[in-house]
Every structure is written in C-alpha cells, then in structure tokens.
Amino acid sequence: MNALAIVQIVLYLAVLVALVKPLGWYMARVYEGKPFGLDWALGWLERLIYRAGGIDPAREMSWKTYTLAMLAFNLLGLLAVYGLQRVQHLLPLNPQGLLAVPPDLAFNTAVSFASNTNWQSYGGETTLSYLTQMLGLTVQNFLSAATGMAVLVALVRGFVRRSSQTVGNFWYDLTRSTIYILLPLSLVGALLLVSQGVVQTFREYQTVTLIEPTHDAGGAVVTDQTIALGPAASQVIIKQLGTNGGGFFNVNSSHPLENPTPLSNFLELLAILLIPAALCYTFGKMVGDTRQGWAVLAAMLVVFLPLAAFCYWSEQAGNPALADLGIDQEAGDRQPGGNMEGKEVRFGIAQSALWASATTAAANGSVNSMHDSYTPLGGLVPMWLMQLGEVIFGGVGSGLYGMLVFAVIAVFVAGLMVGRTPEYLGKKIEAFEMKMAALVILIPPLVVLGGTAVAVAGDWGTASITNPGPHGFSQVLYAFSSAGNNNGSAFGGLGANTVFYNISLGLAMLAARYWLAIPVLAMAGSLARKKATPASAGTLPTHTPLFVVVLVGVVILVGALTFVPALALGPIVEHLLLAG
Amino acid sequence: MSLVLAIGVTFFGLSAGIAVLLEHLLVETRMSAIYLIGSIVATLLLVYLTAALLKPEWFA
Amino acid sequence: MATKTHSLFDPAIVRRALVDSVLKLGPRQQIRNPVMFTVYVGSLLSTSLFVQSLLGTGEASPGFILAISAWLWFTVLFANFAEAMAEGRGKAQADALRRNRHDVSAKRLCHWPCKLDEEPSLHAMAERGEIRVVPAPDLRAHDVVIVAAGDYIPADGEIIEGVASVDESAITGESAPVIRESGGDRSGVTGGTRVLSDWLVIRVTANPGETFLDRMIAMVEGAKRQKTPNEIALDILLAGMTIIFLLVCVTLLPYSLFSVEAAGRGTPVTVTVLVALLVCLIPTTIGGLLSAIGIAGMDRMIQANVITMSGRAVEAAGDVDVLLLDKTGTITLGNRQAVEFIPADGTTPAALADASQLASLADETPEGRSIVVLAKTKYGLRERDVHRLHAHFIPFSAQTRISGVNIDGQQIRKGAADAIQDYVAQYGGRFSETLAQKVEEISRQGGTPLVVAEKAKPLGVIHLKDIVKGGTRERFAQLRQMGIQTVMITGDNPLTAAAIAAEAGVDDFLAQATPEAKLTLIRKYQAGGHLVAMTGDGTNDSPALAQADVAVAMNTGTQAAKEAGNMVDLDSNPTKLIEIVEIGKQLLITRGALTTFSLANDVSKYFAIIPAAFAGTYPVLGKLNVMGLATPASAILSAVIFNALVIVALIPLALKGVKYRPIGAAALLRKHLLVFGLGGLVAPFIGIKLVDLMVVALHLA
C-alpha cells in the first residue's frame, strides 16, 4: 500500500469521524423535538406541511398505524414515479422528447427509487426527461431516505420508551428528516458540487465538435458529440447523502459532469457515509448512552476498514495472470500500476477502491468506477459488503436498524452466556423479538440466493450474462445481492434491462425493503411495550470492545456462512483460476 | 396482517420459482426424478420451518 | 430424595436411554425440534436415495450414500440419546416415587366438625359409623380424614386437628421424623408420607392426580415438559438459521448446474452431498442438546432437593436480580443470644444475672437458654434445679408479652422494654433515664433489649444479640458481583434492622415487615423492571410468594404457601435461594455456550465440503481444502461423522452444565467466548482431520 493511498483513506475517515458527533447530536435534537436553531428558520415550512396534510404531529401512533402510514406513503410514491415515467412524453421539461418508459422498466425504476435502492436498469440521459428526474427521482431520493430514518427513529423509541403503546408519529419523523436534515445538507452540498463544475441546468443537450474526429463501430467518421446536461447537482448530492445512488447520468459518478474533480469526489464520497455514521451517535444520544452508539459505529468500522484495504490491495496488486507474463504492475511515477481497467484516471485506484467499498458498505450504490472490471477478489469486496445485509453503515436509517437487529441477535447469544435471559438497552429480548430478528436476517439470503438460483436456471436469466464462466455467475449474483439488499450498485456487464430482470429485481427490491421494515417496526412496538430492566453487574455490557467483537462476529458469521458457497463458485474460483 | 400478507406473497413467489426450476430441471437433466423429489421435500421442509419460526407454540 | 444416589452415567440409566433413543424416532416426537426434524427428513431422503442406488440408477455409489445416511441417522439417534439420558435420572426417581405410592385406604370422617376423644379409638368410631373406609383415590378435595399412627397419609392436606410425628423420607429423603400440627406454619402434610405417632385429622386439599407426589412424578419424568420462553426464543433463532442454510443448500443445485455448463466439465452436485452439507451446517449441536439441557437443569434442581413446578421457574431463577431474604435463619442464626447483663442503678451485675437466670430457668426458648448459659459462663452461677426451688413459673403469653417466675415472694419478670415498662408502671415504678438510654443503645446496635424487673423495680437489661451467620458478608458481596441485590426482611424495628443489615452487608432491608409490606415491596421492585425471588413458609407469605417471580416455599410450610410458590425446597433451607439462582444461570449459560459453539463450527465444514462438492467442476477449489482431506468422499463423510460425534462428546457438558462463576458479566462473556467461540471455530478443523484419517485407514470411503 503506498503512502498516498494511506493518506487518502486516513484523511477520509478522519473527516468522517469528526463529523459524526456534531451531526449526530443535531439529528437527535431534531427527532427529540428539542430546539436546534434551524427550527426557527424552517419551522414555518414544517407547520405548513402539517396544515396542508391535515396532520397532527403530536398524535402518537402504534407500531401498526406507523407501519401502515409508511407503507401507504411509499406505495403512493411508487405509483407516482411509475405514472410519471409512463406519461413523460406528454409532460413539459422534456427537451429531448424522450418517449414513455416501457412498463417493466418503469416498474423496476419506480420500485428502485421508492425502496431507496436506486438500481439503474434505465440509462438516465437516454430514458428519463428532466421532469421525471426531478419530480420523480429526486423527490423519491429525499422521501425514501427520510422513510428509512423514520423507521430507525421508531425502533430507537422502542428502546427508549417504557410500557408505551406508541412509537411516535410517522409524518412528524418523515417531515422533520426531510426539511431539517436532508434539505439543508443537500443545499450546501449541491452548491459545493456546482463550484466544482457539476452541471445544474434545464438546457437541452449540447452538441460539440470533436477536436479530433473519430470512427464509430461501423467505421463511419464521427466529428461531433452530444453532451447530456440537466439539473444534475441537486440530484447528485441527495443521491449520495440519502444512500440512494441512482446517478443522473448512466455511468453515475464516473461521469465528468457528475463528478468532475478530486474534490467533488471527496465530497460525494463523504456524503455516502456521513448520515449513516452520524445516526449511530444519534442513536446513542437518544437512548441516553452515547457509548452504545460509538460501539455500533466501531463495529461498522472494524468490518469496513479491512475490507476497503483488501479491496485496494487487490486492485493495486493487479491481475495475477498479467503478473505471470512479467508485466510491470507496480505503481510508480509513470503509471498508477495495478488494475486500472474501468477506473477513472482522475480518481486512481485508492479513490476508486474506497468508493467501491463505501458505496456498497452503505446501501448507496453510486459508482465512480466499474466494479465488473475489478479483479475477482477486488470485486468480491463490494459484493460481500452488500451480502452482509447492508448493515455496515447501510442505508440511511435502514443500515442502523439492520445493525441493531444484528445487535439483538448478538445480545441473545452472548447474553445467555453470562447467565441471564438476554436484554439489550434494558429491554428483554424474548420470543417475539427473535421472531422478527430471524425474519430480518432471513429475507436477504432468501431474495439473493433464491433470485440468483432462478436466474441461472434458464435462458431467461443466463442470456443477459456477458462473460463466460464464474465471472458470469458473479454478474448475476452481484445483481441480486445489490437489489436484494437495497444497494443499487451494478457490477456492470449484465444486460439487466430485460423483462425478467426488471421484474425479478423489482420484486427483490420490494422484499428487501419492506419485509425488513415491517418486522423492524413490529419489534419497535413490542420493545416499547416492555418495562426496562435496570442494569447491574450481571447485565451484559453492550458498549465494550468485547461486545463489538461479538457483534462483528455475528454479522460476519451470518453473512459469511450464508454466501460462502455462492462466492466460492463466483469470485473465489475465478481468482483461483486466474492465479493458476 | 401486513406480515401475513408478506409471507403469503413470499410463498407464492417461492412456489412459482420452484415450479419454474422444476420444469427446467425436468427438461434439462437425466436424473429428473431425484431432483423432483428433492425439491418437494425441500419445499415441505421450508413450510415446516417457517411455521416453526412464526408459530413455535404449535411445536412447544 | 430416596434415590438421590443415581450418578449421571449410571449403567442402568444408559441402558434405558439407549432403548429410549430408538423409541423417540417417531415423527410426532421429532417434529417438536425444528433442527433435528430437518436432520430426520434428510436421513429419510438419503435413505431412499440409497435404496434407489441399489436399484442401479443412483446418483453416487451405494456405499457412499449408505455411509452418509447411516451417520445422519446416528445424528438423530445421538440427539435422542442425549434427551433420554437427561430424562433417565428423573425417570429412575419417578419409579422410586411410584413405589412409595401405596394402595392405601383412607378413613373418611362422615361428619365434621365432631367431638373427638383425647385418644380417639378408630375402631370404636368405625363401629359407631363415624368413619367410612374408602380407597385413597376416591378422596376429593375438602374431604376430611383421620390418620392414626402407622397409617400412610392418603392425600395432600391441611391438618385441622392433632399433633403427630410424620416420616416424610419418601418425599424429602430425610429420615428423621418431623412434627406436624394444626394451625401455624407446620400444618401441611403430603400424601405418601407416614404418621409415626399420635393421630391427625386432615382436610384433603388436592384431587387425585393433582397431588404433590403426582406433580413431582410428572415433573421429574418430564412427561408434561413444556418449552420454556427462552427455549422457544432460541428455537426460533435456530429455525431461522436452519431456513437460511436450507436456502444455501437448495440454491447450490442450480448454481452447480450452471457452473458445470459454464466450466464445461464435471457433474452437478448430488442430492446426497447437499443433504450432508445441510445437516453439517444447521446448528445440530445445540438443536440436538437443547431439550437435554433444559431437562438437566430441572434435574439439577431435584438433586439440590428443590422441586420446581415448571421449567419456566428455573429459567427465571437465572434472571433474578433481587433476593428477598428472611433475616432469621438466612442471615442470622435462627435465635438471638444473650451477650451482656447491664444492671440498672442500684443493682449489681451479679444480682441481675441471678434474677435473669431464675426468670429463664423454665424458658426453653433458645433465647432463654442463652441467658442461663451466659449467667453460668460469666458469673459462675450454676444452673439450679427447677423442681427443688418451689418456684411458680409464668410462661410467656401473647397478651402480656412477658414471662418470669414467682419465688420466695419475689416476682421477677422479663420481656420487651415497652411490656416491662407497663408491668413496672402497674406497681408505680418507672425506668430511669440511664436505663432507657441503655435500651435505646442496644436497639441501635441491632440487638434486642430484654428488660428484667421485680415489681416496681427495674433490675437491668439483658442484651440479646442476633448472630450473623459466618461468611454471610462474603456471600452477599459475591451476589452483588452477580448483579443481584439482597434485601433483608425482618419483623424487627428499623433501628435493629439497620444495624443487622449493615453487619450482614445486605443492600437494603424491610423492617417491621407485614405480609402487605412484603407484597408492596415486591411490586415496587417489579415495577422497576426487577425480577424478585423470595422464600416463605407461612400462609401469610402466600400473597407475596404468588407475586414473586421465583418463589421458593419451604417443605415444612403450609399447603397454601406451597401452592403459591413455584418451587418447593424439600430441605426447607432458606439459603437454598442462592443455589437456585446459580442453577438457573448455569442453564442459560449452557444454552448460550453450545449455541455459540454450534454456529462457530460451521466455518470448518465449508472448508471440508465445498471443495469436495465441486471437485469435478472446479478442481482448483481444492486449494480451499486446508485440512488436506484425502478424497471428496472422505471429506464429506468426515464432516458428517464429526458433526454427529460432537453431539455425543458434548452430552456430559449438557447434562452437568457449564460451570457458573460469579466474576461479573464481562469477564464471564470473555471466558465463554474464548472457550466456546474460538474453540468452536478451531476444534472441528482438528476433529474433521482426525476423523478423515480414520475413515481412510478403515477404508470407509
């Protein structure tokens, strides 16, 4: 690992961790309804929304009401995006005159954005009008992220409250997440991105004359190029902040107008993990013991760091087959060395590998390099990070609630070993909690392994595979790992815009989002009803390094044990074949 | 209720998936009978285990 | 208990367990355990594959499939065996208890109430038609029976008249007879015990089939064993893990078909191998031993001479974080002892000692004895012969709350300070300032002041002291480290209670405890999220016992107390509570430890089976064969064999339980994680390799 790479990774993490406490503190104030400054400036907007929606934000909801509100709201969002795509040709702000999106693709895209997955089966600049992008996708970027945060807050309240029938008010949590957290951060971030050259315009696509004419695939001379434009900056920042990941342009953040400079890259990279990391502190603050939050964050970092480093190492080491041929893959003054295929020169290997790890650790899914082109082991890292259930940072809100479910399981097993029926944050973990927790850890493997099995079992799935052998298998496995964990990043290579993949991946995204959110809310309701057991010397401490080890162990064991056979037939065997 | 619904849909999806698999297997492979029986057993086991997970009191 | 001598691996129990493990193969029994039922179904499937292979169309060689299915069946049998072993000791005990259930007949009184003679002649009563002899099973609750010396008590009941010595060894294993009498806290009798002397009139409290003996038999036999809440929660987790691994194995088939096509060589993975992989991956170790652990926990309670009414109570015992302990008998020796004579003004210590001794000569209470002893050791006053003194002794009465002696015109009285104050006042006397101070001082030190007076003249105070049992402080410090608060319950005044509480090192105390105060205290702790354990014996303890999460009734106690509690301590030893908590914790730890071990085991099995399963398609996966297992077939077989054998290897641990040490939660977790987590990760690598060497040496695959 060279020094420059280390500096980049360390700097990134240092800035990230430094921001955790202030942002986390701020968000806790937002959810606890305590004054935090910005409520003076934007309070009118919040009240206006409540009045317009006929909402009484003080009305507490049971977990069932909360869930119904969440589902109904998301269903409406899904229908709106679907409808918008189907009639975009009739609506304004469509300077390119793009046609209506076909039903299967529209379904896939609508689910993708409602579920905070942002799997891109569509190509932004060739499929969607400006209006669809702004009113459909950007709005969903905010709202799906806010939904995840709301579900998390409900779960945290479950831990905090005692003998309570309610877990909060969904509309209150949703509104406040959006206007006090996502909106201000996006505003600042978008301006910073624009300063770096990210486009923000309603003008039609521009045609420019090439300095050096070139030839197309058919051999004809090409003298000019159409450059896609649009209101990109405003969408790019929220897709990063809200762990959405759906790029304005098809190639996402490797596109020079979406991510032009190393500084813009740093900002976008920071935005990926910012809220998920800070929410850990928010959680600690809300349960009245910030050490609990730091412990969860530590567990996330303990998994993330080695994997990011491994990914970088694998990419920098380059292709073992090329090494056998005596080709110099060392980094030096004249070459970045390693495996640069599919990576942008302006970012290099370290920024690409770090992004690949961060975007898959968080359920973001935006890319600044093509994961399909990674070495087998380098590509294994993002795939496995997703398969861990998107709990290492994970989606905004969803990542932490997933991690807390793993914590519940860790507490269950470890708690027994200290001779008590287990409790977490004072709440007894009993049969109902285990039932819900089991569902949460069960559904991603069900969707990922089941989906991959169906896809590789016939032409409907295998026809889209563009690489032979194990790599082809990896493409399918990656696609379902991505959709089945609401990540949305693509391995690339797989021709996923087919009816089969649009529908199956769409179903996978739905399952992975809502069948996790429902049990989590049910657990929140059950926890809120319980009394709290006071801690004593006999209680398992859940803020210690030892517990971090247990938690990491459970996450890895469940993730590793479930996907090892599949990974063995994909990236692992590919690596072994390459290495000879 | 929503949970029951969600589970219902899972099973529907799963059985459909298994049916598709079966059809494929029956056409493509020689040892079709073994796979057929294996798939049926696996499906029944899955139903049983799901019941054991959601309704443990049935087996207490 | 009469049959306490059975060791864990008594040959008779092992023999019986071997038979039982085959009998338990019925699907109705297997379906209760999600993990083992999956193995069961897998065994059936692989057996039918073996039959098919015999017909010549098998997916693999019949020998290989046979070996796999045989070991899958062994896995099921070993789990059955573990359960049968755990039940074995209980069954042996139940048999012994059944032998105690004699075909007795009961003498039912036709009319009650009725006047009984001092020495009722049952024969005469029968002739008069006052008694009907009926078989014991015909008795119902509320019937009234009379039991004479030599008779077995026909059913559980409450003594309503009479005093008798009863041999309860059939239930408690204690051969010394105990006194049972009507009224008070020793009025409960148990069916199956025998009256040795005198007679008793008993009101039956239990219908046939619901008696203590019946419940005890059912309990030790585990016949009506219900899964406990934590067991159910663990079962859910295990079912969830099993589903995940089922998915892993099922989807491996299409993956394998795809890979064969992609690689252009090899054969798809066989169903036999998938079943083998499934069984190795699902948590069979904990799944197979889970019910054995639960039964063994109840059994350990029985070995401690505690009868639990449900497994739920054993589990709750591990969770208890507040212990309510009766002061007397638990924290202090049952009786107070005189330690000092403090004379009033104008009296010498020797004179006070002399008067005190006289007043206590006929007092047979331990306190009274201790006064006589102190007078002898400190002032050399020899014990005088009571009968030669021509003294008239005044026994203690609840009305006056004083006792004493009339001798040679003297009227010496002793009693609590306020009672003597009243007595003195009758004769126009009163306590001096200094005397009142002395009384107050003794109270403050946790002692009981006993004032001695002669008519109007107070002679002085005897300092009676509660003697805190040796080692009590250390025990409570240990409990604190376990995260358990101790609360002392006493009828003493707050002053006395505080002093004893400080000396004994309890965390809190409840003075002047009434049954209502106890109940309120328990409710208060429970509202704060605590789990409360207590012991009790009297009828007035019943509401508190019913409210407490773990309520241990003393066997000497009343029937009502035994009904209200969820455990009965046959030894009637109040300190047993601490042991009970430890057994509860041990049960939970054993469960957690084996679950961790079971899950950690899986890592090695992937390394054994994955390279073997895809050896034909991707030979390069052989690099993952880090154990260097001989052939694909031997690798898979070894993993299955190890998986089965580890259940047997862990049976002793499951039955004995992982040892509990009060070293604090964090240290406990670290220790068990190292042993069972890390151990569970590493051990199978070694184990599977060893089994593989044997398999190859024996040419099994």
Side-chain angles (χ1 to χ4, degrees):
Chain A
M1 207 179 262
N2 67 43
L4 197 60
I6 294 175
V7 169
Q8 291 179 56
I9 295 175
V10 168
L11 180 71
Y12 173 68
L13 288 172
V15 174
L16 178 70
V17 173
L19 287 173
V20 163
K21 191 170 168 178
L23 182 59
W25 176 87
Y26 172 83
M27 290 192 287
R29 307 282 292 187
V30 170
Y31 292 120
E32 287 174 334
K34 294 179 184 160
F36 49 87
L38 214 56
D39 47 343
W40 284 86
L42 289 172
W44 61 271
L45 183 57
E46 187 189 359
R47 285 187 292 275
L48 184 71
I49 291 171
Y50 294 149
R51 202 163 316 132
I55 294 158
D56 174 9
R59 221 198 71 211
E60 287 283 325
M61 293 174 170
S62 70
W63 79 265
K64 283 179 183 157
T65 319
Y66 200 100
T67 309
L68 281 178
M70 186 272 286
L71 289 176
F73 181 74
N74 276 254
L75 183 67
L76 278 182
L78 196 154
L79 292 176
V81 177
Y82 180 82
L84 209 54
Q85 293 177 85
R86 298 287 292 140
V87 298
Q88 66 172 4
H89 55 294
L90 305 174
L91 298 173
L93 279 181
N94 186 1
Q96 298 311 115
L98 294 168
L99 297 176
V101 182
D104 60 306
L105 181 57
F107 164 74
N108 183 285
T109 309
V111 171
S112 174
F113 278 75
S115 65
N116 196 252
T117 310
N118 303 34
W119 168 263
Q120 287 172 277
S121 200
Y122 65 95
E125 60 271 46
T126 55
T127 323
L128 302 178
S129 74
Y130 290 168
L131 187 77
T132 309
Q133 291 256 23
M134 290 172 65
L135 213 58
L137 305 195
T138 307
V139 168
Q140 277 304 312
N141 276 352
F142 278 97
L143 297 180
S144 67
T147 300
M149 294 161 89
V151 173
L152 169 70
V153 173
L155 178 63
V156 174
R157 288 201 192 102
F159 284 112
V160 175
R161 293 186 176 181
R162 278 119 212 246
S163 314
S164 163
Q165 295 298 318
T166 59
V167 294
N169 180 309
F170 175 72
W171 309 115
Y172 177 85
D173 295 336
L174 183 79
T175 311
R176 288 174 79 92
S177 302
T178 310
I179 63 178
Y180 293 132
I181 298 168
L182 297 172
L183 213 54
L185 282 174
S186 301
L187 219 63
V188 175
L191 288 176
L192 288 172
L193 286 184
V194 168
S195 79
Q196 293 302 302
V198 178
V199 291
Q200 179 77 9
T201 176
F202 285 135
R203 281 171 62 181
E204 70 276 21
Y205 298 170
Q206 299 293 296
T207 304
V208 295
T209 310
L210 292 176
I211 298 167
E212 212 175 303
T214 182
H215 302 276
D216 69 5
V221 178
V222 178
T223 56
D224 48 29
Q225 178 187 1
T226 304
I227 295 177
L229 299 174
S234 57
Q235 192 186 322
V236 168
I237 187 64
I238 185 62
K239 71 142 185 182
Q240 298 299 95
L241 278 172
T243 59
N244 296 287
F248 194 86
F249 302 108
N250 192 25
V251 291
N252 213 301
S253 280
S254 46
H255 194 289
L257 294 185
E258 189 159 333
N259 186 9
T261 65
L263 184 57
S264 72
N265 189 67
F266 184 84
L267 284 172
E268 290 180 18
L269 189 50
L270 187 65
I272 293 178
L273 294 188
L274 183 62
I275 297 181
L279 277 173
C280 294
Y281 187 86
T282 309
F283 154 71
K285 188 87 192 151
M286 288 178 77
V287 300
D289 182 1
T290 48
R291 295 174 308 175
Q292 304 288 348
W294 288 117
V296 172
L297 183 62
M300 292 176 173
L301 283 169
V302 164
V303 178
F304 175 72
L305 269 180
L307 284 175
F310 179 71
C311 180
Y312 167 75
W313 169 82
S314 177
E315 290 309 296
Q316 191 64 60
N319 186 334
L322 290 180
D324 290 346
L325 296 173
I327 293 168
D328 176 21
Q329 298 187 86
E330 286 297 310
D333 293 342
R334 290 166 189 283
Q335 62 167 16
N339 173 29
M340 274 299 286
E341 185 195 305
K343 297 185 181 66
E344 297 295 304
V345 179
R346 66 184 184 284
F347 304 139
I349 291 176
Q351 289 291 320
S352 301
L354 190 57
W355 184 300
S357 309
T359 196
T360 47
N364 188 291
S366 64
V367 294
N368 75 347
S369 58
M370 295 300 125
H371 299 176
D372 190 29
S373 298
Y374 276 43
T375 59
L377 293 183
L380 180 144
V381 169
M383 196 175 335
W384 198 50
L385 273 166
M386 294 187 293
Q387 290 166 344
L388 289 178
E390 285 303 0
V391 296
I392 305 306
F393 298 106
V396 284
S398 62
L400 187 52
Y401 67 64
M403 191 60 156
L404 291 179
V405 168
F406 272 102
V408 162
I409 291 171
V411 158
F412 186 80
V413 177
L416 283 179
M417 279 198 286
V418 304
R420 289 274 288 259
T421 61
E423 62 216 25
Y424 186 44
L425 304 172
K427 295 300 179 85
K428 282 243 176 283
I429 306 303
E430 292 166 300
F432 186 78
E433 285 73 33
M434 279 326 285
K435 212 182 277 185
M436 295 304 116
L439 282 178
V440 169
I441 59 165
L442 183 65
I443 282 159
L446 176 85
V447 171
V448 175
L449 293 176
T452 309
V454 173
V456 298
D459 289 340
W460 52 77
T462 50
S464 299
I465 295 173
T466 55
N467 279 82
H471 194 81
F473 181 75
S474 298
Q475 289 179 338
V476 180
L477 183 62
Y478 193 102
F480 279 95
S481 300
S482 176
N485 287 291
N486 292 130
N487 181 280
S489 75
F491 211 34
L494 186 72
N497 189 7
T498 65
V499 173
F500 170 77
Y501 279 109
N502 280 338
I503 302 288
S504 63
L505 292 173
L507 289 175
M509 290 186 276
L510 273 181
R513 179 71 167 183
Y514 300 106
W515 291 347
L516 261 56
I518 295 170
V520 164
L521 284 171
M523 191 192 279
S526 151
L527 288 170
R529 275 195 296 273
K530 287 173 197 268
K531 291 186 288 195
T533 312
S536 73
T539 313
L540 173 79
T542 52
H543 60 266
T544 58
L546 189 64
F547 183 72
V548 172
V549 170
V550 176
L551 180 55
V552 168
V554 169
V555 170
I556 298 275
L557 223 56
V558 171
L561 293 183
T562 314
F563 294 100
V564 160
L567 289 172
L569 292 178
I572 293 175
V573 78
E574 189 189 352
H575 170 77
L576 292 173
L577 288 170
L578 262 186
Chain B
M1 245 322 77
S2 37
L3 204 67
V4 174
L5 207 70
I7 289 150
V9 176
T10 318
F11 272 117
F12 178 75
L14 219 67
S15 351
I18 288 169
V20 168
L21 255 179
L22 279 180
E23 193 193 313
H24 176 73
L25 293 172
L26 286 175
V27 175
E28 300 263 312
T29 63
R30 284 181 297 116
M31 289 182 290
S32 54
I34 293 179
Y35 289 158
L36 182 69
I37 294 166
S39 313
I40 292 170
V41 171
T43 312
L44 291 178
L45 251 185
L46 190 69
V47 173
Y48 158 74
L49 286 169
T50 312
L53 191 152
L54 294 173
K55 291 280 168 203
E57 58 273 16
W58 290 355
F59 308 98
Chain C
M1 204 159 301
T3 51
K4 221 173 347 189
T5 46
H6 288 288
S7 87
L8 216 47
F9 293 97
D10 193 309
I13 294 180
V14 174
R15 261 196 306 279
R16 186 166 175 175
L18 283 171
V19 176
D20 279 353
S21 47
V22 178
L23 294 179
K24 282 172 184 283
L25 277 178
R28 281 168 61 91
Q29 306 215 22
Q30 294 293 324
I31 205 159
R32 283 181 46 140
N33 183 334
V35 179
M36 293 318 293
F37 186 70
T38 305
V39 181
Y40 184 74
V41 171
S43 313
L44 284 173
L45 183 62
S46 65
T47 309
S48 33
L49 288 172
F50 166 66
V51 173
Q52 190 205 24
S53 71
L54 283 182
L55 304 174
T57 53
E59 51 173 16
S61 77
F64 175 71
I65 304 181
L66 175 65
I68 294 285
S69 11
W71 279 97
L72 294 185
W73 282 117
F74 278 133
T75 313
V76 179
L77 285 170
F78 290 161
N80 288 350
F81 179 67
E83 194 181 74
M85 281 299 293
E87 287 168 352
R89 199 149 57 163
K91 279 198 170 142
Q93 255 150 5
D95 288 348
L97 286 171
R98 271 207 196 86
R99 278 196 294 276
N100 281 323
R101 205 156 50 178
H102 305 271
D103 289 331
V104 295
S105 50
K107 303 181 177 76
R108 194 165 66 192
L109 287 175
C110 300
H111 309 287
W112 185 262
C114 70
K115 186 86 187 72
L116 289 173
D117 304 330
E118 191 88 356
E119 296 275 332
S121 156
L122 297 181
H123 191 72
M125 287 173 78
E127 282 190 345
R128 289 200 296 271
E130 289 168 4
I131 290 178
R132 271 247 319 271
V133 177
V134 295
D138 288 358
L139 289 176
R140 293 290 180 275
H142 306 302
D143 282 351
V144 175
V145 296
I146 183 161
V147 188
D151 286 352
Y152 280 97
I153 293 174
D156 294 1
E158 198 80 29
I159 301 171
I160 46 183
E161 199 163 322
V163 183
S165 62
V166 179
D167 171 15
E168 295 195 336
S169 59
I171 303 285
T172 62
E174 176 59 57
S175 54
V178 292
I179 301 295
R180 292 281 181 241
E181 59 190 319
S182 64
D185 292 346
R186 291 164 180 272
S187 61
V189 286
T190 312
T193 57
R194 202 153 68 101
V195 174
L196 294 178
S197 70
D198 306 291
W199 52 270
L200 294 170
V201 176
I202 296 164
R203 174 172 286 127
V204 176
T205 52
N207 286 321
E210 297 163 10
T211 65
F212 188 68
L213 201 62
D214 289 321
R215 278 191 293 169
M216 197 158 149
I217 290 171
M219 214 278 312
V220 293
E221 239 182 355
K224 283 199 207 131
R225 212 180 79 84
Q226 289 288 308
K227 287 183 191 172
T228 58
N230 176 262
E231 211 175 344
I232 290 178
L234 187 53
D235 252 344
I236 291 171
L237 179 66
L238 296 181
M241 299 301 293
T242 309
I243 295 181
I244 292 180
F245 291 123
L246 180 65
L247 286 169
V248 169
C249 294
V250 167
T251 54
L252 216 44
L253 184 59
Y255 297 173
S256 163
L257 290 167
F258 175 83
S259 298
V260 168
E261 212 168 304
R265 64 171 162 186
T267 48
V269 63
T270 60
V271 174
T272 309
V273 169
L274 286 178
V275 171
L277 179 62
L278 176 65
V279 170
C280 285
L281 291 181
I282 61 176
T284 46
T285 314
I286 179 65
L289 295 173
L290 186 55
S291 69
I293 294 170
I295 298 167
M298 305 234 330
D299 188 53
R300 276 197 297 279
M301 286 285 188
I302 298 169
Q303 301 309 310
N305 246 355
V306 176
I307 300 298
T308 38
M309 297 309 159
S310 68
R312 190 185 282 255
V314 183
E315 209 171 86
D319 270 356
V320 160
D321 53 4
V322 175
L323 287 190
L324 301 191
L325 299 168
D326 274 326
K327 183 196 77 177
T328 309
T330 313
I331 295 169
T332 61
L333 294 172
N335 33 53
R336 286 169 287 202
Q337 290 179 4
V339 290
E340 199 182 356
F341 295 112
I342 306 162
D345 311 322
T347 316
T348 62
L352 173 62
D354 184 59
S356 304
Q357 191 218 36
L358 278 175
S360 306
L361 279 175
D363 184 353
E364 286 298 328
T365 63
E367 287 85 356
R369 300 301 315 154
S370 78
I371 293 171
V372 175
V373 169
L374 184 70
K376 184 175 170 186
T377 52
K378 216 161 173 192
Y379 298 98
L381 296 174
R382 311 219 17 215
E383 208 172 311
R384 284 165 274 197
D385 190 335
V386 184
H387 299 291
R388 295 231 304 268
L389 285 173
H390 306 291
H392 176 63
F393 289 100
I394 316 291
F396 181 84
S397 89
Q399 279 80 43
T400 59
R401 293 188 296 138
I402 53 179
S403 65
V405 64
N406 292 345
I407 185 170
D408 305 336
Q410 281 185 304
Q411 290 189 20
I412 305 169
R413 295 290 182 273
K414 69 175 171 36
D418 53 342
I420 293 293
Q421 206 158 15
D422 292 346
Y423 166 77
V424 171
Q426 282 173 25
Y427 296 93
R430 56 181 208 85
F431 283 11
S432 70
E433 197 71 18
T434 42
L435 183 65
Q437 254 173 30
K438 291 282 178 211
V439 167
E440 169 82 22
E441 200 175 301
I442 292 170
S443 291
R444 213 173 14 245
Q445 289 167 2
T448 307
L450 209 59
V451 183
V452 184
E454 209 281 301
K455 287 194 180 156
K457 189 180 180 229
L459 297 172
V461 197
I462 307 169
H463 184 171
L464 289 180
K465 199 174 172 209
D466 261 317
I467 307 296
V468 173
K469 285 184 172 176
T472 305
R473 240 193 134 72
E474 292 70 31
R475 202 78 202 260
F476 289 161
Q478 212 177 46
L479 282 171
R480 207 165 300 123
Q481 219 164 17
M482 289 160 70
I484 298 172
Q485 291 182 46
T486 43
V487 181
M488 183 180 84
I489 307 287
T490 169
D492 293 344
N493 63 57
L495 226 54
T496 313
I500 297 172
E503 190 181 343
V506 293
D507 297 294
D508 202 355
F509 65 88
L510 176 69
Q512 283 163 345
T514 58
E516 296 74 40
K518 265 196 220 182
L519 192 61
T520 317
L521 184 72
I522 295 176
R523 290 220 173 105
K524 196 190 91 195
Y525 275 115
Q526 285 173 336
H530 293 279
L531 254 77
V532 182
M534 70 169 288
T535 57
D537 52 6
T539 302
N540 57 12
D541 281 334
S542 306
L545 282 170
Q547 180 71 32
D549 300 285
V550 173
V552 185
M554 302 288 106
N555 191 45
T556 53
T558 59
Q559 204 62 36
K562 285 197 230 172
E563 294 285 336
N566 45 20
M567 295 187 189
V568 175
D569 178 19
L570 298 176
D571 295 339
S572 304
N573 170 10
T575 51
K576 193 68 80 56
L577 212 44
I578 296 166
E579 207 175 320
I580 289 172
V581 170
E582 282 182 358
I583 291 174
K585 287 197 179 293
Q586 209 182 12
L587 169 79
L588 295 172
I589 291 175
T590 312
R591 254 183 221 156
L594 291 184
T595 307
T596 309
F597 185 84
S598 200
L599 292 179
N601 262 223
D602 280 3
V603 176
S604 63
K605 292 168 186 163
Y606 277 122
F607 280 98
I609 294 185
I610 294 295
F614 299 103
T617 318
Y618 292 126
V620 13
L621 279 175
K623 284 186 182 169
L624 296 181
N625 180 7
V626 290
M627 287 171 269
L629 306 177
T631 63
S634 81
I636 293 165
L637 189 59
S638 305
V640 174
I641 293 176
F642 174 81
N643 191 57
L645 289 180
V646 84
I647 296 180
V648 180
L650 289 172
I651 289 178
L653 185 75
L655 296 190
K656 285 185 194 143
V658 176
K659 201 158 169 49
Y660 173 76
R661 285 195 186 86
I663 48 175
L668 213 54
L669 178 63
R670 190 173 315 120
K671 183 171 153 265
H672 291 143
L673 265 185
L674 268 180
V675 176
F676 296 99
L678 206 58
L681 214 56
V682 177
F685 279 100
I686 301 161
I688 292 175
K689 176 69 189 174
L690 288 177
V691 174
D692 184 69
L693 290 175
M694 300 232 295
V695 164
V696 172
L698 298 171
H699 301 289
L700 284 178

